[in-house]
Amino acid sequence: MRSEKPGTLEQPSAAAAPRNWPLMKNNIAREDLDAAIRFLQQNDPILTQSSEVAAFEKEWSEWLGVKHTVFVNSGSSANLITLAAIREKFGGGEIIVPTLTWVSDIASVLQNNFTPVFVDINPRTLGMDSREVVRKITKNTRAVFLTHILGYNALDDYLLQELERRKIPLIEDVCESHGATHQGRKLGSFGLLSNFSFYYAHHMSTIEGGTVCTNDSELYEMLRMFRSHGMVRESRSDTLKARYTAKWPDLNPDFIFAFPAYNVRSTEINAVIGRSQLKRLDQRNAIRTRNLNCFLDHLDPARFYTDFERAGSCNYAFTLVLRQADDALWKRIEQTLREHKIEFRRGTSGGGNQLRQPFLRKRLGDEFKHYPRVDHVHFYGCYIGNYPELETAQIEGLCRLLNAV
Ligand SMILES: Cc1ncc(COP(=O)(O)O)c(C=O)c1O
């Protein structure tokens, strides 16, 4: 999820109750900055999208286990051109979306003139309830656009089989879950398309940035064009380019615009930082997973929800959700976190129930009232930063503090 850039605060002390705990720390390291500096020291380097972007895309595809990656300037841009490509390929209709997600997942659906159909969460994964997804499929469904929330795997075999059987395309938003897996395979390699974000607060950062990944060559060509003004010359396919040139002989082949699209390209500098970051992503993720297990193991399960589905999870945030609705307890928790300068975001991903946001209330009125499970997280849940520099003793101290509130 995105939040304002967290402050650079002091390292919390292990012995005392924790203090000064930002949402994220040291996510862009000296070695990444040095890689950028080395790159800039070249004579007359190309800075706009070029070979470094292509190299990062190739390395990201290999890491994820997909054929194609398109690097863009943010996860939101990845969402936007993903939905534009779905619209181009399958036409308009309904897209099944979560109530708990980031704003751009819903905005991209609306911006491409689809109708969003909302689904409540599964408390164990914070992702969509699979049975409700399947129940909401109609003849107008063009795709299921799920979000893997804060590193938890939102896939299950039932959902995958039902979508396969009904030929409904799956789109995975993995912006918050780099490296998480389902049945040992990385999330983002299951969907027809998948999106990642490299905003500072996520598992790895390119300052700003995102990717769209796919095994579908036709969609890949389309996405390359959507990234760059809808320009046909952005395609890697000579056949596709020849087809357009033959069909539109009055046009300069360099300036054929297939779609009314966008410019959401990134730059070589961002790609250089991404390549440097990717080298240590897995190692850092392993520590984050150890941290999450420590957090959930030490929280009081009578007060806090600790039954999250941990298998395959890869989390950069500690999810803190009350077991029961309790306004007074929640108020004390917020107070304690503030007193200890422990940054947190109420509602978890994207602030909780998206349907409560003004942009959806204007369109859908009080539809938000029908999703009780996301509302529980909205009012009695938050996340706290989880990064590799945290020590076990600090996490245990945080749990002691929370258990004693
Ligand atoms: C689930 C999800 N999708 C999309 C985005 C958008 O990514 P970006 O901030 O890179 O635009 C975010 C942002 O944090 C997110 O959490």
Side-chain angles (χ1 to χ4, degrees), residues 318-333:
F318 297 136
T319 43
L320 185 72
V321 178
L322 291 191
R323 178 80 59 188
Q324 307 290 343
D326 183 338
D327 291 309
L329 175 58
W330 185 257
K331 206 167 154 200
R332 290 203 305 279
I333 285 176

Side-chain angles (χ1 to χ4, degrees), residues 123-124 126 150 152 288-302 304-311 313 315 317-321 323 382 386 395-396 398-399 402-403:
R124 278 175 67 80
L126 300 177
L150 293 172
Y152 295 115
R288 293 178 197 275
T289 299
R290 184 205 64 192
N291 289 352
L292 177 74
N293 285 328
C294 174
F295 178 72
L296 293 177
D297 287 344
H298 286 86
L299 274 186
D300 176 356
F304 299 109
Y305 188 83
T306 52
D307 310 327
F308 292 106
E309 179 57 66
R310 298 194 215 178
S313 73
N315 199 307
F318 297 136
T319 43
L320 185 72
V321 178
R323 178 80 59 188
C382 73
N386 166 15
I395 301 167
E396 289 171 5
L398 173 64
C399 293
L402 292 166
N403 291 343

Side-chain angles (χ1 to χ4, degrees), residues 43-82:
N43 208 5
D44 198 17
I46 295 174
L47 299 180
T48 48
Q49 179 183 294
S50 186
S51 59
E52 288 293 330
V53 168
F56 178 49
E57 289 175 336
K58 184 166 179 291
E59 288 162 10
W60 185 260
S61 295
E62 283 163 10
W63 176 83
L64 184 60
V66 295
K67 280 194 200 148
H68 308 292
T69 290
V70 176
F71 185 42
V72 290
N73 57 8
S74 73
S76 316
S77 297
N79 294 157
L80 179 66
I81 65 169
T82 289

Side-chain angles (χ1 to χ4, degrees), residues 34 72 74 109 116 128-129 131 142 155 163 184 199 201 205 212 214 219 226 232 236 317 344 349 357 361 395:
D34 288 345
V72 290
S74 73
V109 166
M128 281 193 278
D129 177 322
R131 296 202 177 259
R142 296 292 164 263
L155 291 178
L163 297 185
Y199 175 60
S205 178
V212 186
T214 186
L219 279 168
F226 269 114
V232 169
R236 288 263 167 94
F344 66 97
S349 185
Q357 296 293 342
R361 243 135 127 173
I395 301 167

Side-chain angles (χ1 to χ4, degrees), residues 95-101 105-106 117-134 136 143-149 152-156 158-159 163 170-173 373:
I95 305 282
I96 298 183
V97 293
T99 42
L100 185 66
T101 184
D105 291 61
I106 311 301
V117 173
F118 287 88
V119 166
D120 208 347
I121 60 167
N122 170 353
R124 278 175 67 80
T125 65
L126 300 177
M128 281 193 278
D129 177 322
S130 297
R131 296 202 177 259
E132 195 176 322
V133 171
V134 172
K136 291 200 167 164
V144 169
F145 186 11
L146 65 73
T147 303
H148 300 290
I149 296 291
Y152 295 115
N153 166 27
L155 291 178
D156 56 48
Y158 165 75
L159 180 66
L163 297 185
L170 170 69
I171 312 167
E172 293 176 84
D173 183 322
R373 280 167 279 152

Side-chain angles (χ1 to χ4, degrees), residues 1-2 74-76 79 102 104-105 147 173 175-176 197 202 209:
M1 95 290 324
R2 192 175 186 105
S74 73
S76 316
N79 294 157
W102 186 249
S104 56
D105 291 61
T147 303
D173 183 322
C175 290
E176 302 179 1
S197 160
H202 294 170

